Amino acid sequence: MSKSIAAFRPHPVSQVQPAIRDRLLPLTLTAIGVVFGDIGTSVLYAMRECFFGSHSVPPTHDNVLGVLSLIIYSLVLVIAVKYVGIVMRADNQGEGGVLALTALIPGRFGAGGGVPRLAVGRPVLIALGIFGTALLYGDGMITPAISVLGAVEGLEVATPLFRPYVVSITVAILVGLFLIQRYGTHRVGGLFGPIMVIWFVTLAGLGIMWIVRLPAVLGAFDPRHAVAFFAANGFTGFAVLGAVFLVVTGGEALYADMGHFGRIPIRFAWFVLVLPALILNYLGQGALLLLNPDVEHPFFLLAPSWALLPLVTLATAAAIIASQALISGSFSITRQAIQLGLAPRLEVEHTSAREMGQIY
């Protein structure tokens, strides 16, 4: 049986379970720090764009519940069902990403049964794989710069003294972020992981504070609110759907980074911590908007006044960390492109003795 087909076969439980059981919590912690930074910082701007962006709707009762319903089921269907439940099952010898799928196209193999070579007779599928990879590269180039710049601009709002130094600080942070990549994903994730755990716990806590004030916001779990939202707003409702899509940005990093951690730690982190925290926070922002429709920055106003500055600081750290998901994913797909003969050969350093996919 070829390796492209064998990649879909599950490993025997007796071989996988002891190793995963011993390292599940450490791998989960590092995965939280590396994989979920991008999707975890969408709470900063997604709701604001839905109601105060260029293509927005007024924050009425029905609109808020409709948008919340769209957000909840976008997270569930796109991330939980599509990526975590289905796509992450399609690994290629433990590696994820669009090129890993491209390598599974039936074709000839390299000498000695090594990495599968691309099929000559599948040009359309190959072109689609390369196109998807290019999109991920583009996202990987833009996200670190925009995320860090947005974080530093947040500091500028809190402290205007930083205004002349925004670009310089951004460049310095980016240089430092890329310099520490050589130490390996496990060390980078070990550094970022505890911060992101605090971030997600904070998101959940802030959301619960406002849900308790207006429990009626839990009605957003009824999908009929999403259907009614489109019926009432027509084309404008579909335009708002573009802002709703911001809540799932970074979802592709879950699949691209699978080779760094394996599917089990990523799934564990998603269902136990990340998904509940995100949904609770979005519901809390919805409750705030229902009680105070004129609030233009619902996320930061979830916190009491005394906690605003610490929240801005934590949000800045989280936004910087958000860049790590796509950096690691770009490393993974670059290695896959080299193996498939689609990119020039580069020096690849394996930074972990246990995880084959952790590279620099």
Side-chain angles (χ1 to χ4, degrees):
M1 180 180 292
S2 65
K3 286 192 176 181
S4 61
I5 298 176
F8 284 95
R9 283 194 167 185
H11 298 287
V13 176
S14 59
Q15 296 178 11
V16 175
Q17 292 299 333
I20 293 296
R21 191 187 308 116
D22 294 341
R23 296 183 289 119
L24 178 59
L25 289 181
L27 281 176
T28 300
L29 181 63
T30 54
I32 292 172
V34 172
V35 176
F36 297 104
D38 195 2
I39 196 171
T41 53
S42 297
V43 295
L44 294 171
Y45 47 78
M47 286 287 284
R48 185 186 68 220
E49 289 300 315
C50 290
F51 295 107
F52 303 101
S54 55
H55 300 285
S56 58
V57 292
T60 63
H61 179 273
D62 291 342
N63 285 342
V64 170
L65 289 182
V67 167
L68 283 175
S69 187
L70 288 172
I71 288 175
I72 290 170
Y73 288 102
S74 294
L75 289 170
V76 171
L77 295 177
V78 177
I79 307 299
V81 176
K82 175 188 170 184
Y83 279 109
V84 179
I86 299 175
V87 176
M88 289 183 66
R89 298 173 65 90
D91 68 288
N92 189 340
Q93 303 179 48
E95 289 287 335
V98 66
L99 281 185
L101 285 180
T102 304
L104 295 174
I105 299 173
R108 63 186 181 87
F109 289 81
V115 176
R117 305 296 293 180
L118 290 178
V120 177
R122 302 290 187 271
V124 175
L125 294 177
I126 295 169
L128 289 174
I130 296 173
F131 179 71
T133 302
L135 292 178
L136 185 59
Y137 269 130
D139 197 6
M141 293 176 65
I142 294 172
T143 296
I146 296 300
S147 296
V148 176
L149 181 61
V152 176
E153 287 176 343
L155 287 177
E156 173 190 349
V157 173
T159 309
L161 293 176
F162 284 104
R163 181 170 299 175
Y165 311 105
V166 167
V167 176
S168 301
I169 294 173
T170 301
V171 172
I173 292 174
L174 286 171
V175 170
L177 182 61
F178 279 92
L179 283 177
I180 65 174
Q181 299 300 317
R182 67 176 66 243
Y183 297 106
T185 308
H186 64 292
R187 292 185 181 178
V188 174
L191 174 64
F192 290 164
I195 299 175
M196 292 307 297
V197 169
I198 296 172
W199 171 249
F200 285 116
V201 171
T202 302
L203 294 185
L206 292 174
I208 291 172
M209 286 172 52
W210 285 89
I211 293 172
V212 170
R213 299 186 187 186
L214 190 66
V217 75
L218 295 173
F221 282 101
D222 186 347
R224 290 178 295 181
H225 287 292
V227 177
F229 174 80
F230 286 125
N233 292 282
F235 177 78
T236 304
F238 283 97
V240 172
L241 190 60
V244 171
F245 188 75
L246 292 172
V247 306
V248 298
T249 56
E252 68 280 359
L254 275 70
Y255 185 45
D257 285 335
M258 188 168 63
H260 289 257
F261 309 101
R263 69 168 65 92
I264 295 178
I266 293 176
R267 285 176 173 171
F268 184 74
W270 171 253
F271 286 111
V272 172
L273 177 63
V274 180
L275 178 60
L278 292 177
I279 289 179
L280 287 172
N281 192 266
Y282 285 122
L283 288 172
Q285 292 188 48
L288 172 61
L289 285 172
L290 289 175
L291 294 172
N292 302 285
D294 296 329
V295 171
E296 293 190 12
H297 298 281
F299 173 77
F300 287 106
L301 293 180
L302 290 175
S305 56
W306 59 266
L308 180 58
L309 188 57
L311 182 60
V312 170
T313 303
L314 182 59
T316 301
I320 294 171
I321 294 171
S323 307
Q324 184 61 46
L326 285 168
I327 292 174
S328 300
S330 298
F331 285 173
S332 294
I333 63 174
T334 299
R335 174 171 173 262
Q336 295 165 11
I338 294 171
Q339 291 176 319
L340 294 170
L342 296 175
R345 292 190 175 276
L346 302 171
E347 182 180 351
V348 178
E349 297 182 11
H350 291 267
T351 58
S352 173
R354 294 183 174 182
E355 296 297 325
M356 181 182 66
Q358 294 191 9
I359 58 171
Y360 169 70

